[in-house]
Amino acid sequence: MSEHSLHSSYREKLIEHLLIGELLKFSWLNKDFTLEIAKPEVDNSGYDIIAESNGIIRHTQLKAAFVVSATASQKIHIALSKKPSGCVVLVYFNNETLELGPYYFYGAAPGFPLPSLDHLKIAKHTKGDAGGVKAQRPNIRVLNRGQFEKLNTVNDLYEKLFGSPP
């Protein structure tokens, strides 16, 4: 078993912090200085961070996967669609160097709500009950990687999230 499996929570937080650092660095280098990041105290609406820049607020669910991962889908909470400019960012990373990219984005233009999730498949629990039946998770939907927009750089991701820097 690899350290990625044994310490997945640690890795998840590390990737989150690396991404936030890259977004803040982009803001700094573009003399924008408006990016603010906040974390929810309770995780019941499907987002991991709240990011605001130039009046655009993004409630963002973060997902991470190895660059060579064959992961074809992600599970997202329907409550995310009720947030202003909710979105999902899938961050691919190199499992040896932890270098980030490419990025995949699911959402609408800055200032607009997440597209409806009603048409997406309802997720199921990963473990079955005593009879082997995997119950549905009515508040969770399955989003296929093909529904995301691929972005090669953190610069592209920042502009997708907040528009062009001033």
Side-chain angles (χ1 to χ4, degrees), residues 133-153:
V133 176
K134 295 180 180 181
Q136 287 190 333
R137 300 174 69 191
N139 293 327
I140 307 296
R141 297 294 186 270
V142 177
L143 189 60
N144 293 321
R145 187 172 65 187
Q147 295 170 283
F148 285 82
E149 179 180 350
K150 182 180 180 182
L151 306 166
N152 290 316
T153 69

Side-chain angles (χ1 to χ4, degrees), residues 35-62:
L35 180 61
E36 296 180 9
I37 304 290
K39 298 272 302 160
E41 193 67 32
V42 177
D43 180 12
N44 67 348
S45 292
Y47 58 91
D48 300 297
I49 63 170
I50 305 164
E52 180 179 357
S53 183
N54 298 310
I56 302 296
I57 299 170
R58 289 285 194 175
H59 289 75
T60 306
Q61 183 171 10
L62 299 175

Side-chain angles (χ1 to χ4, degrees), residues 82-153:
K82 305 226 185 316
K83 299 295 179 187
S85 291
C87 63
V88 182
V89 173
L90 171 57
V91 179
Y92 277 84
F93 65 94
N94 180 302
N95 65 330
E96 297 296 323
T97 66
L98 297 181
E99 181 179 341
L100 304 183
Y103 308 89
Y104 286 77
F105 174 85
Y106 181 80
F112 291 90
L114 187 69
S116 173
L117 304 175
D118 293 339
H119 67 284
L120 298 175
K121 179 180 166 186
I122 298 172
K124 292 186 177 186
H125 285 278
T126 54
K127 295 182 180 179
D129 62 14
V133 176
K134 295 180 180 181
Q136 287 190 333
R137 300 174 69 191
N139 293 327
I140 307 296
R141 297 294 186 270
V142 177
L143 189 60
N144 293 321
R145 187 172 65 187
Q147 295 170 283
F148 285 82
E149 179 180 350
K150 182 180 180 182
L151 306 166
N152 290 316
T153 69

Side-chain angles (χ1 to χ4, degrees), residues 7 19-20 28-29 41 44 55 78 84 97 100 132 155 161-162:
H7 304 287
L19 176 63
I20 290 169
W28 177 269
L29 293 174
E41 193 67 32
N44 67 348
I78 60 171
T97 66
L100 304 183
N155 304 19
L161 290 168
F162 306 111

